[in-house]
Amino acid sequence: MFVQITGFLKHYDPGVSALVADMNLLMTISAIGAVILGDWFEGALVVFLFKLGTTLQTFTFGRTRNAIRNLINLTPPTATIKRGNQEVSVRVEKIQVGEILTIRPGQRLALDGIVISGNSAIDQSPITGESIPEDKAPGSRVKQ
């Protein structure tokens, strides 16, 4: 099966750092307010629940980061490109938009693209979560 490479986004915007009133400030104000009002238990409960929430958030972010890292590791470092009548193994970073990949049965997709010739079933479970391979024909979109 042959897949033509389509464009992919390589833009990163780190955002703007600014001084804002966030949940840390709000939780601190509410805990201090509870203490001023004499509700020590309420203030302690706010601090405990806030700390529990941030701990769970840190745990969840760690698991998400590991899951993304594992998905990235599924991507093969090289792909077979058709150049003229030859097939050449090339590092994924060096492949240009518009080049044609050759995908053999059982191979993982190195890049997204559109099938230009051949029919096959492709395992896209890392992206879709679907355990059954999807049938692809010319004109079908494929994702790594």
Side-chain angles (χ1 to χ4, degrees):
M1 175 168 40
F2 296 108
V3 177
Q4 186 168 16
I5 304 305
T6 57
F8 44 89
L9 189 61
K10 286 187 178 181
H11 176 72
Y12 173 70
D13 184 9
V16 177
S17 178
L19 196 57
V20 294
D22 62 356
M23 69 177 181
N24 295 316
L25 177 63
L26 297 174
M27 290 295 120
T28 302
I29 291 171
S30 64
I32 291 171
V35 169
I36 290 171
L37 294 173
D39 289 328
W40 290 91
F41 177 74
E42 302 296 333
L45 186 60
V46 165
V47 170
F48 171 75
L49 291 175
F50 180 67
K51 183 61 180 167
L52 177 64
T54 55
T55 301
L56 290 173
Q57 181 182 22
T58 301
F59 173 73
T60 303
F61 282 166
R63 288 186 57 144
T64 302
R65 198 172 294 118
N66 288 338
I68 291 170
R69 187 176 300 122
N70 290 338
L71 276 176
I72 290 171
N73 289 339
L74 288 176
T75 304
T78 61
T80 305
I81 300 295
K82 185 173 183 179
R83 291 189 175 151
N85 292 333
Q86 295 184 338
E87 293 183 353
V88 182
S89 182
V90 179
R91 296 216 31 96
V92 172
E93 301 85 29
K94 303 227 185 251
I95 298 173
Q96 301 294 317
V97 172
E99 291 196 274
I100 297 174
L101 294 178
T102 301
I103 308 296
R104 301 278 180 232
Q107 264 186 322
R108 292 197 185 272
L109 295 173
L111 296 166
D112 297 347
I114 298 172
V115 177
I116 58 172
S117 69
N119 295 303
S120 188
I122 296 179
D123 176 18
Q124 292 194 268
S125 59
I127 299 299
T128 63
E130 183 65 40
S131 61
I132 300 170
E134 295 180 26
D135 291 330
K136 299 294 180 179
S140 300
R141 293 184 140 301
V142 291
K143 297 182 181 187
Q144 57 175 339

